[in-house]
């Protein structure tokens, strides 16, 4: 019998007719990623490599689910023999309303990137923050605890990163967003984490700023790590979210975007004599943590890294 490729895209109509839609597929599809768009997702390559390496007899597929289909698609999951799914743009935030429970990271972030199907229950998790933390350790050999961090953005990824920095008791956290109110709201949400005794010079430990040149320029000498959690850089024509002339050699630049090795932000870091890394390592580690949630066993991290094109 013909075996379909795992990277094929499925839809809500396929989920509604799952047994028929996947009749000839071996090993069976029991994991996947929901997104709109979803064609660009690298999770199938990474997770299928992990499944094969661990001799787990199932496959991971892409599902093109539109925003108005999310509720139905999640509902159908409870009736099928699936292990779980990942969520990507634009489902991470709305999905929280459709779950039976969610872990602390998902609740505090307000976004879910991993769902485990537990009998009839959908349990939500967010592995982006811990994935970011592992990526920073791997790329720069530092812990968030010791860092003064500037996060660009205040959406789902930025919230997960900021929460992780707060939980690890980073030295300082500055949140910069185009819509200032959203940065302010995120800072307010994290206030309790910064009530402790770590006192830090003339600048506040927790601060929201607008993503504008004068405000960012002022912060450069007071931060060590800058994480881009905006989509600026996804398109080839994009410029760096912070121009190279504002950056300085002491900085570590982490771009959550992984569409190319040298994103505009990473290029700007190199131009400024700073260190820079793209988001592939965060993708890897958030995926490995999802694998561990689904299977309660260590993920084959080097196999997954290789599947993403790393060495
Ligand atoms: P959201 O849509 O939730 O948030 C987007 C954020 O970017 C908002 O703060 C928004 O600001 C800001 N923004 C959007 N466009 C612009 C712009 N033109 N100029 C300035 N700010 C802008 O997206 P996510 O948080 O889910 O994703 C953000 C990025 O993180 C994506 O590019 C994604 O690729 C990456 N990501 C990477 C992961 C990895 O594993 N490497 C994991 C998750 C995400 P405003 O509030 O003003 O609209």
């Amino acid at each position: 019998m013909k075996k379909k490729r795992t990277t094929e895209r499925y839809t809500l109509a396929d989920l509604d007719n799952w047994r028929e839609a996947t009749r000839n597929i071996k090993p069976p599809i029991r994991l996947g990623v929901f997104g709109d768009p979803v064609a660009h997702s690298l999770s199938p390559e990474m997770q299928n490599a992990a499944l094969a390496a661990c001799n787990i007899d199932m496959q991971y597929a892409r599902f093109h689910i539109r925003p108005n289909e999310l509720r139905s698609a999640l509902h159908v999951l409870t009736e099928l023999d699936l292990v779980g799914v990942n969520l990507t743009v634009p489902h991470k935030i709305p999905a929280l309303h459709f779950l039976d429970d969610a872990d602390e990271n998902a609740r505090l972030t307000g976004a879910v990137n991993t769902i485990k199907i537990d009998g009839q229950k959908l349990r939500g998790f967010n592995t982006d923050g811990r994935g970011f933390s592992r990526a920073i350790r791997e790329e720069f050999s530092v812990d968030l605890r010791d860092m003064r961090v500037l996060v660009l953005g205040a959406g789902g990824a930025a919230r997960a990163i900021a929460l992780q920095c707060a939980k690890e008791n980073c030295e300082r956290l500055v949140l910069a967003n185009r819509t200032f109110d959203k940065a302010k709201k995120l800072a307010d949400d994290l206030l309790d984490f910064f009530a402790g005794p770590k006192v830090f010079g003339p600048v506040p430990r927790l601060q929201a700023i607008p993503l504008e040149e004068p405000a960012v320029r002022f912060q450069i000498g007071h931060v060590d790590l800058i994480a881009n959690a905006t989509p600026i850089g996804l398109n080839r024509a994009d410029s760096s979210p912070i121009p190279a002339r504002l950056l300085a050699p002491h900085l570590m630049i982490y771009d959550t975007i992984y569409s190319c090795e040298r994103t505009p932000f990473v290029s700007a870091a190199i131009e400024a004599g700073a260190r820079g890394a793209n988001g592939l390592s965060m993708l890897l580690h958030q995926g490995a943590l999802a694998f561990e949630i689904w299977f309660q066993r260590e993920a084959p991290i080097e196999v997954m890294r290789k599947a993403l094109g790393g060495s």
Side-chain angles (χ1 to χ4, degrees), residues 11 51 98 151 187 215:
T11 62
L51 293 168
F98 306 134
V151 179

Side-chain angles (χ1 to χ4, degrees), residues 92 153-157 177-179 182 229-232 256 258 279 282-283:
K92 290 185 180 185
N177 197 43
R178 176 178 63 180
T179 309
K182 275 170 68 180
T230 76
I232 306 173
T256 64
Y258 50 81
M282 178 173 167
L283 179 76

Side-chain angles (χ1 to χ4, degrees), residues 56 112 129 132 158 206 246 274 285 291:
I56 299 173
V112 178
F132 171 77
L206 175 65
L246 292 191
H285 287 291
F291 183 96

Side-chain angles (χ1 to χ4, degrees), residues 139-155:
E139 300 283 4
F140 303 122
S141 308
V142 294
D143 286 327
L144 292 178
R145 187 188 53 222
D146 304 320
M147 293 290 102
R148 299 170 300 169
V149 188
L150 168 59
V151 179
L152 312 180

Side-chain angles (χ1 to χ4, degrees), residues 78-287:
T78 60
E79 292 157 16
L80 304 176
D81 190 24
L82 266 69
V83 173
V85 288
N86 286 129
L87 302 175
T88 184
V89 181
H91 300 314
K92 290 185 180 185
I93 292 172
L96 198 57
H97 305 294
F98 306 134
L99 304 179
D100 296 289
D101 65 51
D103 77 340
E104 188 196 41
N105 285 337
R107 281 198 316 275
L108 292 177
T109 307
V112 178
N113 77 338
T114 302
I115 293 177
K116 183 176 168 121
I117 301 155
D118 198 357
Q120 290 285 306
K121 297 224 183 301
L122 297 179
R123 303 199 189 284
F125 302 84
N126 192 315
T127 65
D128 282 341
R130 283 195 295 146
F132 171 77
S133 175
R134 289 185 182 191
I136 294 300
R137 199 170 307 133
E138 189 176 288
E139 300 283 4
F140 303 122
S141 308
V142 294
D143 286 327
L144 292 178
R145 187 188 53 222
D146 304 320
M147 293 290 102
R148 299 170 300 169
V149 188
L150 168 59
V151 179
L152 312 180
R159 288 186 66 89
I161 289 170
L163 174 66
Q164 190 67 28
C165 291
K167 281 176 126 178
E168 295 193 26
N169 197 20
C170 67
E171 292 271 2
R172 258 196 103 211
L173 181 61
V174 183
L175 307 164
N177 197 43
R178 176 178 63 180
T179 309
F180 173 71
D181 285 353
K182 275 170 68 180
K184 181 78 179 63
K185 162 87 173 58
L186 177 52
D188 289 346
D189 289 348
L190 298 175
L191 209 53
D192 285 351
F193 288 97
F194 291 86
K198 237 180 188 175
V199 179
F200 209 83
V203 282
R205 265 194 80 199
L206 175 65
Q207 196 174 357
I209 62 168
L211 184 50
E212 290 167 5
E213 186 161 332
V216 170
R217 183 188 291 117
F218 174 79
Q219 294 295 337
I220 294 298
H222 301 287
V223 297
D224 312 298
L225 170 67
I226 307 181
N228 175 35
T230 76
I232 306 173
L234 267 183
N235 297 318
R236 278 186 175 276
D238 285 351
S239 49
S240 170
I242 300 180
R245 65 190 147 76
L246 292 191
L247 300 176
H250 74 279
L251 291 169
M252 288 162 262
I253 300 294
Y254 191 83
D255 196 344
T256 64
I257 290 172
Y258 50 81
S259 53
C260 57
E261 195 183 331
R262 284 204 179 177
T263 65
F265 199 26
V266 172
S267 294
I270 292 165
E271 199 183 320
R275 285 182 284 168
N278 78 6
L280 216 53
S281 46
M282 178 173 167
L283 179 76
L284 168 69
H285 287 291
Q286 64 76 34

